[in-house]
PDB file of all heavy atoms in Angstrom:
ATOM      1  N   THR A1356      22.192 -86.675  74.634  1.00 94.00           N
ATOM      2  CA  THR A1356      23.294 -86.514  75.514  1.00 94.00           C
ATOM      3  C   THR A1356      23.996 -87.808  75.772  1.00 94.00           C
ATOM      4  O   THR A1356      23.406 -88.864  75.775  1.00 94.00           O
ATOM      5  CB  THR A1356      22.853 -85.911  76.889  1.00 94.00           C
ATOM      6  OG1 THR A1356      24.029 -85.838  77.737  1.00 94.00           O
ATOM      7  CG2 THR A1356      21.842 -86.778  77.591  1.00 94.00           C
ATOM      8  N   THR A1357      25.323 -87.759  75.896  1.00 91.00           N
ATOM      9  CA  THR A1357      26.092 -88.898  76.274  1.00 91.00           C
ATOM     10  C   THR A1357      26.225 -88.952  77.781  1.00 91.00           C
ATOM     11  O   THR A1357      26.794 -89.902  78.350  1.00 91.00           O
ATOM     12  CB  THR A1357      27.526 -88.859  75.690  1.00 91.00           C
ATOM     13  OG1 THR A1357      28.158 -87.604  76.095  1.00 91.00           O
ATOM     14  CG2 THR A1357      27.497 -88.932  74.166  1.00 91.00           C
ATOM     15  N   LYS A1409      31.682 -68.740  73.936  1.00 82.00           N
ATOM     16  CA  LYS A1409      30.277 -69.263  74.025  1.00 82.00           C
ATOM     17  C   LYS A1409      29.353 -68.009  74.229  1.00 82.00           C
ATOM     18  O   LYS A1409      29.575 -67.283  75.197  1.00 82.00           O
ATOM     19  CB  LYS A1409      30.161 -70.147  75.203  1.00 82.00           C
ATOM     20  CG  LYS A1409      31.239 -71.253  75.278  1.00 82.00           C
ATOM     21  CD  LYS A1409      30.964 -72.366  74.290  1.00 82.00           C
ATOM     22  CE  LYS A1409      32.154 -73.293  74.225  1.00 82.00           C
ATOM     23  NZ  LYS A1409      33.283 -72.762  73.426  1.00 82.00           N
ATOM     24  N   TYR A1439      23.927 -81.545  64.346  1.00 87.00           N
ATOM     25  CA  TYR A1439      24.257 -82.701  65.141  1.00 87.00           C
ATOM     26  C   TYR A1439      23.114 -83.014  66.131  1.00 87.00           C
ATOM     27  O   TYR A1439      22.591 -82.052  66.771  1.00 87.00           O
ATOM     28  CB  TYR A1439      25.545 -82.484  65.885  1.00 87.00           C
ATOM     29  CG  TYR A1439      26.022 -83.745  66.644  1.00 87.00           C
ATOM     30  CD1 TYR A1439      26.700 -84.726  65.975  1.00 87.00           C
ATOM     31  CD2 TYR A1439      25.817 -83.885  67.992  1.00 87.00           C
ATOM     32  CE1 TYR A1439      27.111 -85.886  66.640  1.00 87.00           C
ATOM     33  CE2 TYR A1439      26.224 -85.044  68.662  1.00 87.00           C
ATOM     34  CZ  TYR A1439      26.852 -86.018  67.956  1.00 87.00           C
ATOM     35  OH  TYR A1439      27.255 -87.124  68.609  1.00 87.00           O
ATOM     36  N   ARG A1453      31.763 -76.727  78.076  1.00 84.00           N
ATOM     37  CA  ARG A1453      31.143 -75.584  77.291  1.00 84.00           C
ATOM     38  C   ARG A1453      29.982 -74.986  78.100  1.00 84.00           C
ATOM     39  O   ARG A1453      29.828 -73.787  78.179  1.00 84.00           O
ATOM     40  CB  ARG A1453      30.626 -76.100  75.941  1.00 84.00           C
ATOM     41  CG  ARG A1453      31.720 -76.553  75.025  1.00 84.00           C
ATOM     42  CD  ARG A1453      31.217 -77.610  74.111  1.00 84.00           C
ATOM     43  NE  ARG A1453      30.722 -78.717  74.867  1.00 84.00           N
ATOM     44  CZ  ARG A1453      30.117 -79.737  74.270  1.00 84.00           C
ATOM     45  NH1 ARG A1453      30.010 -79.810  73.016  1.00 84.00           N
ATOM     46  NH2 ARG A1453      29.656 -80.709  75.028  1.00 84.00           N
ATOM     47  N   ALA A1802      66.026 -91.654  49.096  1.00 92.00           N
ATOM     48  CA  ALA A1802      65.959 -90.377  49.796  1.00 92.00           C
ATOM     49  C   ALA A1802      65.471 -90.517  51.204  1.00 92.00           C
ATOM     50  O   ALA A1802      65.650 -89.641  52.046  1.00 92.00           O
ATOM     51  CB  ALA A1802      65.094 -89.424  49.010  1.00 92.00           C
ATOM     52  N   ARG A1821      76.414 -91.656  40.397  1.00 95.00           N
ATOM     53  CA  ARG A1821      77.826 -92.111  40.540  1.00 95.00           C
ATOM     54  C   ARG A1821      77.875 -93.613  40.798  1.00 95.00           C
ATOM     55  O   ARG A1821      78.713 -94.329  40.276  1.00 95.00           O
ATOM     56  CB  ARG A1821      78.500 -91.369  41.703  1.00 95.00           C
ATOM     57  CG  ARG A1821      79.289 -90.146  41.230  1.00 95.00           C
ATOM     58  CD  ARG A1821      80.282 -89.719  42.314  1.00 95.00           C
ATOM     59  NE  ARG A1821      79.643 -89.094  43.454  1.00 95.00           N
ATOM     60  CZ  ARG A1821      79.285 -87.829  43.583  1.00 95.00           C
ATOM     61  NH1 ARG A1821      79.565 -87.007  42.548  1.00 95.00           N
ATOM     62  NH2 ARG A1821      78.715 -87.313  44.637  1.00 95.00           N
ATOM     63  N   HIS A1874      65.417-108.667  54.341  1.00 94.00           N
ATOM     64  CA  HIS A1874      64.611-108.152  55.498  1.00 94.00           C
ATOM     65  C   HIS A1874      63.999-106.843  55.185  1.00 94.00           C
ATOM     66  O   HIS A1874      62.793-106.562  55.489  1.00 94.00           O
ATOM     67  CB  HIS A1874      65.469-108.129  56.771  1.00 94.00           C
ATOM     68  CG  HIS A1874      64.696-107.669  57.960  1.00 94.00           C
ATOM     69  ND1 HIS A1874      64.973-106.469  58.576  1.00 94.00           N
ATOM     70  CD2 HIS A1874      63.747-108.242  58.672  1.00 94.00           C
ATOM     71  CE1 HIS A1874      64.152-106.368  59.591  1.00 94.00           C
ATOM     72  NE2 HIS A1874      63.415-107.392  59.674  1.00 94.00           N
ATOM     73  N   ARG A1878      59.909-105.472  54.682  1.00 92.00           N
ATOM     74  CA  ARG A1878      59.204-104.432  55.478  1.00 92.00           C
ATOM     75  C   ARG A1878      59.120-103.132  54.693  1.00 92.00           C
ATOM     76  O   ARG A1878      58.929-102.068  55.301  1.00 92.00           O
ATOM     77  CB  ARG A1878      59.895-104.204  56.813  1.00 92.00           C
ATOM     78  CG  ARG A1878      61.380-103.872  56.721  1.00 92.00           C
ATOM     79  CD  ARG A1878      62.037-103.636  58.096  1.00 92.00           C
ATOM     80  NE  ARG A1878      63.457-103.437  57.996  1.00 92.00           N
ATOM     81  CZ  ARG A1878      64.181-102.778  58.845  1.00 92.00           C
ATOM     82  NH1 ARG A1878      63.672-102.188  59.859  1.00 92.00           N
ATOM     83  NH2 ARG A1878      65.497-102.634  58.587  1.00 92.00           N
ATOM     84  N   ASN A2019      80.716-108.532  78.721  1.00 86.00           N
ATOM     85  CA  ASN A2019      80.658-107.330  79.592  1.00 86.00           C
ATOM     86  C   ASN A2019      81.229-107.730  80.924  1.00 86.00           C
ATOM     87  O   ASN A2019      80.764-108.620  81.584  1.00 86.00           O
ATOM     88  CB  ASN A2019      79.225-106.819  79.710  1.00 86.00           C
ATOM     89  CG  ASN A2019      79.153-105.469  80.402  1.00 86.00           C
ATOM     90  OD1 ASN A2019      80.156-104.811  80.631  1.00 86.00           O
ATOM     91  ND2 ASN A2019      77.958-105.051  80.728  1.00 86.00           N
TER      92      ASN A2019
ATOM     93  P     G B 635      68.166 -83.500  57.958  1.00 59.28           P
ATOM     94  OP1   G B 635      66.753 -83.036  58.163  1.00 59.28           O
ATOM     95  OP2   G B 635      68.912 -84.129  59.062  1.00 59.28           O
ATOM     96  O5'   G B 635      68.107 -84.606  56.806  1.00 59.28           O
ATOM     97  C5'   G B 635      67.470 -84.291  55.547  1.00 59.28           C
ATOM     98  C4'   G B 635      67.570 -85.509  54.666  1.00 59.28           C
ATOM     99  O4'   G B 635      68.918 -85.780  54.245  1.00 59.28           O
ATOM    100  C3'   G B 635      67.086 -86.819  55.300  1.00 59.28           C
ATOM    101  O3'   G B 635      65.704 -86.933  55.339  1.00 59.28           O
ATOM    102  C2'   G B 635      67.729 -87.802  54.351  1.00 59.28           C
ATOM    103  O2'   G B 635      67.009 -87.909  53.173  1.00 59.28           O
ATOM    104  C1'   G B 635      69.080 -87.153  54.049  1.00 59.28           C
ATOM    105  N9    G B 635      70.087 -87.659  54.987  1.00 59.28           N
ATOM    106  C8    G B 635      70.474 -87.060  56.189  1.00 59.28           C
ATOM    107  N7    G B 635      71.406 -87.725  56.812  1.00 59.28           N
ATOM    108  C5    G B 635      71.659 -88.824  55.995  1.00 59.28           C
ATOM    109  C6    G B 635      72.613 -89.923  56.143  1.00 59.28           C
ATOM    110  O6    G B 635      73.372 -90.113  57.068  1.00 59.28           O
ATOM    111  N1    G B 635      72.500 -90.796  55.075  1.00 59.28           N
ATOM    112  C2    G B 635      71.657 -90.667  54.016  1.00 59.28           C
ATOM    113  N2    G B 635      71.740 -91.587  53.074  1.00 59.28           N
ATOM    114  N3    G B 635      70.830 -89.641  53.885  1.00 59.28           N
ATOM    115  C4    G B 635      70.862 -88.818  54.881  1.00 59.28           C
ATOM    116  P     A B 638      67.398 -99.516  59.995  1.00 59.28           P
ATOM    117  OP1   A B 638      66.842-100.693  59.359  1.00 59.28           O
ATOM    118  OP2   A B 638      66.486 -98.405  60.475  1.00 59.28           O
ATOM    119  O5'   A B 638      68.277 -99.954  61.288  1.00 59.28           O
ATOM    120  C5'   A B 638      69.203-100.944  61.133  1.00 59.28           C
ATOM    121  C4'   A B 638      70.115-101.035  62.314  1.00 59.28           C
ATOM    122  O4'   A B 638      70.857 -99.803  62.478  1.00 59.28           O
ATOM    123  C3'   A B 638      69.311-101.146  63.629  1.00 59.28           C
ATOM    124  O3'   A B 638      68.877-102.418  63.919  1.00 59.28           O
ATOM    125  C2'   A B 638      70.378-100.663  64.635  1.00 59.28           C
ATOM    126  O2'   A B 638      71.352-101.650  64.893  1.00 59.28           O
ATOM    127  C1'   A B 638      71.036 -99.541  63.848  1.00 59.28           C
ATOM    128  N9    A B 638      70.410 -98.220  64.170  1.00 59.28           N
ATOM    129  C8    A B 638      69.401 -97.621  63.501  1.00 59.28           C
ATOM    130  N7    A B 638      69.054 -96.446  64.005  1.00 59.28           N
ATOM    131  C5    A B 638      69.899 -96.320  65.081  1.00 59.28           C
ATOM    132  C6    A B 638      70.075 -95.319  66.047  1.00 59.28           C
ATOM    133  N6    A B 638      69.325 -94.195  66.056  1.00 59.28           N
ATOM    134  N1    A B 638      71.001 -95.478  66.996  1.00 59.28           N
ATOM    135  C2    A B 638      71.781 -96.577  66.954  1.00 59.28           C
ATOM    136  N3    A B 638      71.717 -97.566  66.108  1.00 59.28           N
ATOM    137  C4    A B 638      70.736 -97.377  65.152  1.00 59.28           C
ATOM    138  P     U B 639      67.411-102.786  64.262  1.00 59.28           P
ATOM    139  OP1   U B 639      66.658-103.104  62.977  1.00 59.28           O
ATOM    140  OP2   U B 639      66.941-101.612  64.974  1.00 59.28           O
ATOM    141  O5'   U B 639      67.452-103.961  65.263  1.00 59.28           O
ATOM    142  C5'   U B 639      67.209-105.256  64.842  1.00 59.28           C
ATOM    143  C4'   U B 639      65.740-105.557  64.567  1.00 59.28           C
ATOM    144  O4'   U B 639      65.639-106.039  63.232  1.00 59.28           O
ATOM    145  C3'   U B 639      65.169-106.707  65.391  1.00 59.28           C
ATOM    146  O3'   U B 639      63.740-106.653  65.387  1.00 59.28           O
ATOM    147  C2'   U B 639      65.677-107.905  64.611  1.00 59.28           C
ATOM    148  O2'   U B 639      64.849-109.060  64.813  1.00 59.28           O
ATOM    149  C1'   U B 639      65.564-107.407  63.214  1.00 59.28           C
ATOM    150  N1    U B 639      66.654-107.877  62.314  1.00 59.28           N
ATOM    151  C2    U B 639      66.287-108.477  61.110  1.00 59.28           C
ATOM    152  O2    U B 639      65.135-108.546  60.818  1.00 59.28           O
ATOM    153  N3    U B 639      67.313-108.897  60.352  1.00 59.28           N
ATOM    154  C4    U B 639      68.662-108.804  60.668  1.00 59.28           C
ATOM    155  O4    U B 639      69.497-109.187  59.861  1.00 59.28           O
ATOM    156  C5    U B 639      68.913-108.160  61.892  1.00 59.28           C
ATOM    157  C6    U B 639      67.907-107.790  62.686  1.00 59.28           C
ATOM    158  P     U B 640      63.098-105.597  66.439  1.00 59.28           P
ATOM    159  OP1   U B 640      61.622-105.790  66.253  1.00 59.28           O
ATOM    160  OP2   U B 640      63.657-104.270  66.224  1.00 59.28           O
ATOM    161  O5'   U B 640      63.510-106.092  67.872  1.00 59.28           O
ATOM    162  C5'   U B 640      62.632-106.822  68.650  1.00 59.28           C
ATOM    163  C4'   U B 640      63.309-107.936  69.362  1.00 59.28           C
ATOM    164  O4'   U B 640      64.189-108.640  68.406  1.00 59.28           O
ATOM    165  C3'   U B 640      64.275-107.506  70.463  1.00 59.28           C
ATOM    166  O3'   U B 640      63.561-107.228  71.620  1.00 59.28           O
ATOM    167  C2'   U B 640      65.186-108.781  70.638  1.00 59.28           C
ATOM    168  O2'   U B 640      64.661-109.652  71.521  1.00 59.28           O
ATOM    169  C1'   U B 640      65.094-109.380  69.222  1.00 59.28           C
ATOM    170  N1    U B 640      66.438-109.411  68.573  1.00 59.28           N
ATOM    171  C2    U B 640      67.040-110.665  68.511  1.00 59.28           C
ATOM    172  O2    U B 640      66.595-111.712  68.988  1.00 59.28           O
ATOM    173  N3    U B 640      68.284-110.679  67.860  1.00 59.28           N
ATOM    174  C4    U B 640      68.942-109.642  67.268  1.00 59.28           C
ATOM    175  O4    U B 640      70.009-109.749  66.732  1.00 59.28           O
ATOM    176  C5    U B 640      68.163-108.378  67.330  1.00 59.28           C
ATOM    177  C6    U B 640      67.004-108.337  67.984  1.00 59.28           C
ATOM    178  P     G B 642      69.969-104.161  70.620  1.00 59.28           P
ATOM    179  OP1   G B 642      69.978-102.880  69.909  1.00 59.28           O
ATOM    180  OP2   G B 642      69.536-105.405  69.994  1.00 59.28           O
ATOM    181  O5'   G B 642      71.394-104.381  71.240  1.00 59.28           O
ATOM    182  C5'   G B 642      72.139-103.311  71.799  1.00 59.28           C
ATOM    183  C4'   G B 642      73.600-103.702  72.016  1.00 59.28           C
ATOM    184  O4'   G B 642      73.635-104.470  73.216  1.00 59.28           O
ATOM    185  C3'   G B 642      74.097-104.572  70.870  1.00 59.28           C
ATOM    186  O3'   G B 642      75.494-104.190  70.685  1.00 59.28           O
ATOM    187  C2'   G B 642      74.063-105.979  71.499  1.00 59.28           C
ATOM    188  O2'   G B 642      75.026-106.832  71.017  1.00 59.28           O
ATOM    189  C1'   G B 642      74.282-105.733  72.979  1.00 59.28           C
ATOM    190  N9    G B 642      73.708-106.666  73.880  1.00 59.28           N
ATOM    191  C8    G B 642      72.686-107.599  73.626  1.00 59.28           C
ATOM    192  N7    G B 642      72.400-108.280  74.705  1.00 59.28           N
ATOM    193  C5    G B 642      73.245-107.788  75.684  1.00 59.28           C
ATOM    194  C6    G B 642      73.371-108.185  77.060  1.00 59.28           C
ATOM    195  O6    G B 642      72.704-109.020  77.669  1.00 59.28           O
ATOM    196  N1    G B 642      74.332-107.475  77.688  1.00 59.28           N
ATOM    197  C2    G B 642      75.087-106.464  77.120  1.00 59.28           C
ATOM    198  N2    G B 642      76.028-105.895  77.851  1.00 59.28           N
ATOM    199  N3    G B 642      74.981-106.116  75.835  1.00 59.28           N
ATOM    200  C4    G B 642      74.052-106.814  75.212  1.00 59.28           C
ATOM    201  P     C B 647      79.707 -97.245  55.100  1.00 59.28           P
ATOM    202  OP1   C B 647      80.636 -98.153  54.435  1.00 59.28           O
ATOM    203  OP2   C B 647      80.160 -95.957  55.670  1.00 59.28           O
ATOM    204  O5'   C B 647      78.478 -96.908  54.105  1.00 59.28           O
ATOM    205  C5'   C B 647      77.960 -97.960  53.284  1.00 59.28           C
ATOM    206  C4'   C B 647      76.759 -97.381  52.524  1.00 59.28           C
ATOM    207  O4'   C B 647      75.670 -97.100  53.451  1.00 59.28           O
ATOM    208  C3'   C B 647      76.993 -95.992  51.843  1.00 59.28           C
ATOM    209  O3'   C B 647      77.643 -96.148  50.650  1.00 59.28           O
ATOM    210  C2'   C B 647      75.603 -95.502  51.740  1.00 59.28           C
ATOM    211  O2'   C B 647      74.888 -96.158  50.669  1.00 59.28           O
ATOM    212  C1'   C B 647      74.966 -95.935  53.060  1.00 59.28           C
ATOM    213  N1    C B 647      75.120 -94.896  54.074  1.00 59.28           N
ATOM    214  C2    C B 647      74.197 -93.826  54.172  1.00 59.28           C
ATOM    215  O2    C B 647      73.256 -93.824  53.343  1.00 59.28           O
ATOM    216  N3    C B 647      74.378 -92.889  55.070  1.00 59.28           N
ATOM    217  C4    C B 647      75.369 -92.929  55.973  1.00 59.28           C
ATOM    218  N4    C B 647      75.502 -91.963  56.865  1.00 59.28           N
ATOM    219  C5    C B 647      76.319 -94.003  55.933  1.00 59.28           C
ATOM    220  C6    C B 647      76.177 -94.977  54.944  1.00 59.28           C
ATOM    221  P     C B 649      78.182 -89.564  47.754  1.00 59.28           P
ATOM    222  OP1   C B 649      78.516 -89.377  46.326  1.00 59.28           O
ATOM    223  OP2   C B 649      79.228 -89.871  48.733  1.00 59.28           O
ATOM    224  O5'   C B 649      77.423 -88.245  48.231  1.00 59.28           O
ATOM    225  C5'   C B 649      76.390 -87.727  47.447  1.00 59.28           C
ATOM    226  C4'   C B 649      75.718 -86.556  48.210  1.00 59.28           C
ATOM    227  O4'   C B 649      75.356 -87.006  49.540  1.00 59.28           O
ATOM    228  C3'   C B 649      76.617 -85.401  48.535  1.00 59.28           C
ATOM    229  O3'   C B 649      76.793 -84.580  47.379  1.00 59.28           O
ATOM    230  C2'   C B 649      75.855 -84.722  49.621  1.00 59.28           C
ATOM    231  O2'   C B 649      74.744 -84.020  49.105  1.00 59.28           O
ATOM    232  C1'   C B 649      75.388 -85.938  50.459  1.00 59.28           C
ATOM    233  N1    C B 649      76.307 -86.224  51.518  1.00 59.28           N
ATOM    234  C2    C B 649      76.248 -85.421  52.641  1.00 59.28           C
ATOM    235  O2    C B 649      75.464 -84.454  52.650  1.00 59.28           O
ATOM    236  N3    C B 649      77.065 -85.688  53.702  1.00 59.28           N
ATOM    237  C4    C B 649      77.896 -86.739  53.660  1.00 59.28           C
ATOM    238  N4    C B 649      78.705 -86.904  54.710  1.00 59.28           N
ATOM    239  C5    C B 649      77.971 -87.541  52.534  1.00 59.28           C
ATOM    240  C6    C B 649      77.153 -87.331  51.478  1.00 59.28           C
ATOM    241  P     C B 688      71.336-106.055  86.717  1.00 59.28           P
ATOM    242  OP1   C B 688      71.503-107.496  87.105  1.00 59.28           O
ATOM    243  OP2   C B 688      71.020-105.026  87.786  1.00 59.28           O
ATOM    244  O5'   C B 688      72.619-105.614  85.917  1.00 59.28           O
ATOM    245  C5'   C B 688      73.796-105.251  86.640  1.00 59.28           C
ATOM    246  C4'   C B 688      74.909-105.040  85.619  1.00 59.28           C
ATOM    247  O4'   C B 688      75.216-106.287  84.953  1.00 59.28           O
ATOM    248  C3'   C B 688      74.578-104.096  84.466  1.00 59.28           C
ATOM    249  O3'   C B 688      74.779-102.754  84.849  1.00 59.28           O
ATOM    250  C2'   C B 688      75.511-104.560  83.396  1.00 59.28           C
ATOM    251  O2'   C B 688      76.854-103.999  83.590  1.00 59.28           O
ATOM    252  C1'   C B 688      75.585-106.047  83.568  1.00 59.28           C
ATOM    253  N1    C B 688      74.549-106.759  82.744  1.00 59.28           N
ATOM    254  C2    C B 688      74.872-106.872  81.328  1.00 59.28           C
ATOM    255  O2    C B 688      75.839-106.349  80.870  1.00 59.28           O
ATOM    256  N3    C B 688      73.930-107.547  80.568  1.00 59.28           N
ATOM    257  C4    C B 688      72.890-108.108  81.087  1.00 59.28           C
ATOM    258  N4    C B 688      72.021-108.738  80.293  1.00 59.28           N
ATOM    259  C5    C B 688      72.579-108.005  82.478  1.00 59.28           C
ATOM    260  C6    C B 688      73.494-107.315  83.254  1.00 59.28           C
ATOM    261  P     C B 706      33.661 -77.560  65.947  1.00 59.28           P
ATOM    262  OP1   C B 706      32.623 -77.208  64.958  1.00 59.28           O
ATOM    263  OP2   C B 706      34.759 -76.667  66.202  1.00 59.28           O
ATOM    264  O5'   C B 706      32.952 -77.979  67.310  1.00 59.28           O
ATOM    265  C5'   C B 706      33.769 -78.446  68.434  1.00 59.28           C
ATOM    266  C4'   C B 706      33.073 -77.943  69.679  1.00 59.28           C
ATOM    267  O4'   C B 706      33.042 -76.525  69.636  1.00 59.28           O
ATOM    268  C3'   C B 706      31.679 -78.474  69.835  1.00 59.28           C
ATOM    269  O3'   C B 706      31.542 -79.113  71.123  1.00 59.28           O
ATOM    270  C2'   C B 706      30.842 -77.203  69.737  1.00 59.28           C
ATOM    271  O2'   C B 706      29.783 -77.258  70.628  1.00 59.28           O
ATOM    272  C1'   C B 706      31.837 -76.096  70.189  1.00 59.28           C
ATOM    273  N1    C B 706      31.574 -74.802  69.635  1.00 59.28           N
ATOM    274  C2    C B 706      31.516 -73.731  70.509  1.00 59.28           C
ATOM    275  O2    C B 706      31.798 -74.019  71.707  1.00 59.28           O
ATOM    276  N3    C B 706      31.291 -72.541  70.070  1.00 59.28           N
ATOM    277  C4    C B 706      30.989 -72.357  68.784  1.00 59.28           C
ATOM    278  N4    C B 706      30.770 -71.106  68.400  1.00 59.28           N
ATOM    279  C5    C B 706      31.014 -73.378  67.886  1.00 59.28           C
ATOM    280  C6    C B 706      31.283 -74.654  68.332  1.00 59.28           C
ATOM    281  P     C B 707      32.130 -80.566  71.351  1.00 59.28           P
ATOM    282  OP1   C B 707      31.859 -80.855  72.740  1.00 59.28           O
ATOM    283  OP2   C B 707      33.437 -80.737  70.792  1.00 59.28           O
ATOM    284  O5'   C B 707      31.097 -81.429  70.438  1.00 59.28           O
ATOM    285  C5'   C B 707      29.805 -81.773  70.940  1.00 59.28           C
ATOM    286  C4'   C B 707      29.432 -83.118  70.356  1.00 59.28           C
ATOM    287  O4'   C B 707      29.026 -82.892  69.002  1.00 59.28           O
ATOM    288  C3'   C B 707      30.638 -84.053  70.279  1.00 59.28           C
ATOM    289  O3'   C B 707      30.597 -85.205  71.165  1.00 59.28           O
ATOM    290  C2'   C B 707      30.891 -84.381  68.820  1.00 59.28           C
ATOM    291  O2'   C B 707      31.027 -85.701  68.523  1.00 59.28           O
ATOM    292  C1'   C B 707      29.695 -83.736  68.112  1.00 59.28           C
ATOM    293  N1    C B 707      30.126 -82.909  66.987  1.00 59.28           N
ATOM    294  C2    C B 707      29.814 -83.304  65.667  1.00 59.28           C
ATOM    295  O2    C B 707      29.145 -84.355  65.533  1.00 59.28           O
ATOM    296  N3    C B 707      30.219 -82.561  64.626  1.00 59.28           N
ATOM    297  C4    C B 707      30.859 -81.468  64.817  1.00 59.28           C
ATOM    298  N4    C B 707      31.229 -80.718  63.759  1.00 59.28           N
ATOM    299  C5    C B 707      31.246 -81.013  66.076  1.00 59.28           C
ATOM    300  C6    C B 707      30.827 -81.753  67.156  1.00 59.28           C
ATOM    301  P     A B 708      29.613 -86.079  71.600  1.00 59.28           P
ATOM    302  OP1   A B 708      30.128 -87.320  72.192  1.00 59.28           O
ATOM    303  OP2   A B 708      28.612 -86.171  70.479  1.00 59.28           O
ATOM    304  O5'   A B 708      28.987 -85.277  72.780  1.00 59.28           O
ATOM    305  C5'   A B 708      27.699 -85.525  73.202  1.00 59.28           C
ATOM    306  C4'   A B 708      27.244 -84.427  74.046  1.00 59.28           C
ATOM    307  O4'   A B 708      27.392 -83.160  73.283  1.00 59.28           O
ATOM    308  C3'   A B 708      25.771 -84.462  74.420  1.00 59.28           C
ATOM    309  O3'   A B 708      25.555 -85.242  75.553  1.00 59.28           O
ATOM    310  C2'   A B 708      25.490 -83.000  74.695  1.00 59.28           C
ATOM    311  O2'   A B 708      26.008 -82.612  75.949  1.00 59.28           O
ATOM    312  C1'   A B 708      26.311 -82.300  73.619  1.00 59.28           C
ATOM    313  N9    A B 708      25.599 -82.097  72.374  1.00 59.28           N
ATOM    314  C8    A B 708      24.583 -82.872  71.852  1.00 59.28           C
ATOM    315  N7    A B 708      24.042 -82.333  70.781  1.00 59.28           N
ATOM    316  C5    A B 708      24.709 -81.140  70.588  1.00 59.28           C
ATOM    317  C6    A B 708      24.674 -80.189  69.578  1.00 59.28           C
ATOM    318  N6    A B 708      23.779 -80.175  68.612  1.00 59.28           N
ATOM    319  N1    A B 708      25.512 -79.091  69.722  1.00 59.28           N
ATOM    320  C2    A B 708      26.353 -79.071  70.748  1.00 59.28           C
ATOM    321  N3    A B 708      26.514 -79.944  71.697  1.00 59.28           N
ATOM    322  C4    A B 708      25.690 -80.997  71.593  1.00 59.28           C
TER     323        A B 708
END
Side-chain angles (χ1 to χ4, degrees):
Chain A
T1356 177
T1357 55
K1409 309 284 171 282
Y1439 187 79
R1453 294 152 304 177
R1821 264 198 287 275
H1874 180 249
R1878 56 179 175 154
N2019 192 8

